[in-house]
Amino acid sequence: MATGGRTVFIAGAGIAGLTLALALAKFGTTVVVLERGKAIQELGAGLQISPNARRILNQLGLDKAITARSFEPEGIDVYPFRAAGPLVSLELGAAARQHFGVPYAVMHRADLADALARACRRFANIDLVFGVQHFDVASHARGLSILADEGAGKSRNGRAFAFVGADGINSPTRTGILDGPAAKPSGMVAWRALVESASLEGVISLDRTSLLFGPGYHAVCYPLPHRGRVNIVLITSDKAAQGKSDALNRAPNLGASLRSDRRFATLLASAADNWGVWPLGTVETDTWHEGSVGLIGDAAHAMLPFQAQGAAMAIEDAAILAPLLMTEPTAGAAFGRYYNLRRKRVARVAALSVSNGRAFHLAWPLSLARDTILGLQGSTGHFRRLDWLYGYDAAPEAEIGAPTRPS
């Protein structure tokens, strides 16, 4: 039986934290979200919402909001280096809807964060607190005490059943409260840009996602028609950066090799110097919780983005954890069950992401074997290969009954 009257504090108003807040609020929980920023903000650009994440978001009442601001690519065109055309076009669109029951979509990260925030604001039992400069969590026999410093002499305190760190790859909850490890630099960086759709006409298909392989790097492009842009992510190696973006150039420079491929050259030219750069790191730890404090999303298991599942795993985490926090007798028991339910799946997805990255970056002649396998799998082989991932259903049961604010 769901237990109302419990209070859960969440650190971080990103996709992980807002999804968890919304899932908890639908069980009648009082939720306080502590966010360091002054407003909802999502760094980066594009986001792929695979069916395993979309099921959960739909269950939380976000189907219309996502449909209005997302795009369903017809497929994924896969381009080997210097290829005249796609090696294979992996079907999405109507085929993905039919196979998985929900769409595979792409959208701007900020649009999803905004949709989640708007949904949260309709619940009187969700309190979004911005500008939090610091927080302390103390455990005692009656639960947790939380003290949050909002700056300018303002602070708030409260008691909680549980505290959840949804505060990202460099999570203060993980490294401070739980004494867990720091994130590990991967030696790779993601260069991101949004470019005018017209600048890529005739270069890539503007109704599909494009995956471009190169020796030691790759790019993913997909249209965001609601913004009139194409999102570009170019992944390269730069071991000297060691996780510090200020050690990197302001635009990727891979020399003549990259520019000898017409599509890569056009992508670079279209973005010019308007790149954002993010060193990629990972989090590998068994310390997801202790007592009434736990972690979700990148705070617990940040992974490389080569299966586009970072946000999806965080959304799954929220769907699994929310009902446990309401039904288990203690927060510690809830976090323990959550860890046992999530650990193997998350590890499998992380391993797949690493494997994909290696395959994407193969140079000739090893790339020939990769391309042969992809060609033999055909346009729908990915449905069978990834059914365990995209077919997964972690959506919480709808238990609507919490007080809501007027629209």
Side-chain angles (χ1 to χ4, degrees):
M1 180 177 68
T3 304
R6 291 178 174 178
T7 297
V8 176
F9 276 69
I10 300 170
I15 290 169
L18 293 175
T19 304
L20 179 60
L22 190 58
L24 285 167
K26 288 178 176 288
F27 284 94
T29 320
T30 297
V31 184
V32 182
V33 181
L34 307 177
E35 168 57 40
R36 292 180 183 273
K38 299 296 184 184
I40 298 293
Q41 55 183 348
E42 270 295 327
L43 298 176
L47 178 75
Q48 300 186 50
I49 304 178
S50 51
N52 49 314
R54 183 61 176 267
R55 285 188 194 90
I56 296 163
L57 296 171
N58 286 0
Q59 187 72 34
L60 293 174
L62 293 171
D63 188 23
K64 277 189 178 180
I66 293 173
T67 299
R69 290 191 273 183
S70 68
F71 177 71
E72 293 180 49
E74 290 298 313
I76 305 173
D77 288 341
V78 181
Y79 294 92
F81 191 59
R82 297 175 181 162
L87 167 70
V88 65
S89 292
L90 307 177
E91 292 188 28
L92 291 177
R97 275 179 173 266
Q98 181 176 2
H99 189 88
F100 297 111
V102 289
Y104 193 116
V106 296
M107 68 189 301
H108 198 285
R109 294 184 72 91
D111 289 338
L112 177 57
D114 181 65
L116 285 164
R118 286 175 181 268
C120 285
R121 288 189 178 105
R122 296 189 63 188
F123 282 84
N125 51 324
I126 298 179
D127 189 7
L128 301 177
V129 184
F130 296 100
V132 175
Q133 297 182 356
H134 179 72
F135 56 79
D136 287 312
V137 180
S139 179
H140 48 77
R142 298 174 63 184
L144 296 174
S145 292
I146 289 87
L147 175 64
D149 177 9
E150 299 179 54
K154 292 178 61 179
S155 65
R156 71 171 59 206
N157 57 65
R159 288 184 177 174
F161 176 73
F163 185 93
V164 182
D167 41 1
I169 187 170
N170 296 313
S171 166
T173 305
R174 183 186 70 250
T175 58
I177 298 172
L178 296 180
D179 198 26
K184 296 170 57 177
S186 70
M188 288 180 280
V189 296
W191 299 89
R192 296 171 176 158
L194 288 173
V195 304
E196 296 280 351
S197 300
S199 68
L200 296 179
E201 285 185 5
V203 179
I204 59 173
S205 173
L206 296 179
D207 65 351
R208 293 173 173 269
T209 294
S210 297
L211 172 59
L212 288 71
F213 296 146
Y217 47 86
H218 78 280
V220 179
C221 312
Y222 46 83
L224 298 172
H226 301 86
R227 291 174 175 253
R229 300 286 190 275
V230 172
N231 179 63
I232 302 173
V233 183
L234 172 64
I235 308 292
T236 68
S237 296
D238 196 321
K239 296 188 182 300
Q242 289 298 303
K244 298 179 181 178
S245 59
D246 56 6
L248 295 162
N249 298 321
R250 298 316 306 162
N253 179 16
L254 298 184
S257 170
L258 183 146
R259 295 181 185 276
S260 68
D261 181 293
R262 179 178 70 92
R263 289 182 184 82
F264 275 116
T266 305
L267 295 181
L268 263 66
S270 66
D273 292 328
N274 298 315
W275 294 93
V277 56
W278 282 264
L280 298 176
T282 61
V283 172
E284 299 175 20
T285 179
D286 291 328
T287 306
W288 287 25
H289 65 96
E290 183 176 337
S292 299
V293 179
L295 304 170
I296 67 169
D298 282 354
H301 48 66
M303 61 184 64
L304 294 172
F306 306 141
Q307 189 57 51
Q309 284 293 298
M313 289 298 103
I315 291 167
E316 285 187 10
D317 286 350
I320 294 294
L321 180 58
L324 293 174
L325 285 173
M326 291 301 93
T327 56
E328 290 296 315
T330 67
F335 286 127
R337 283 198 61 193
Y338 152 76
Y339 174 83
N340 290 333
L341 288 167
R342 295 296 295 154
R343 183 60 175 148
K344 287 184 179 179
R345 176 170 170 83
V346 167
R348 185 179 181 185
V349 177
L352 176 61
S353 298
V354 171
S355 176
N356 284 348
R358 291 176 181 146
F360 293 172
H361 292 190
L362 288 174
W364 189 89
L366 293 177
S367 60
L368 295 177
R370 173 202 65 202
D371 296 348
T372 299
I373 292 171
L374 277 171
L376 290 173
Q377 287 181 350
S379 62
T380 59
H382 59 299
F383 289 161
R384 296 184 297 275
R385 182 171 57 86
L386 296 174
D387 203 45
W388 66 272
L389 177 58
Y390 296 154
Y392 183 75
D393 188 357
E397 294 182 4
E399 293 192 17
I400 313 299
T404 62
R405 295 188 177 101
S407 302

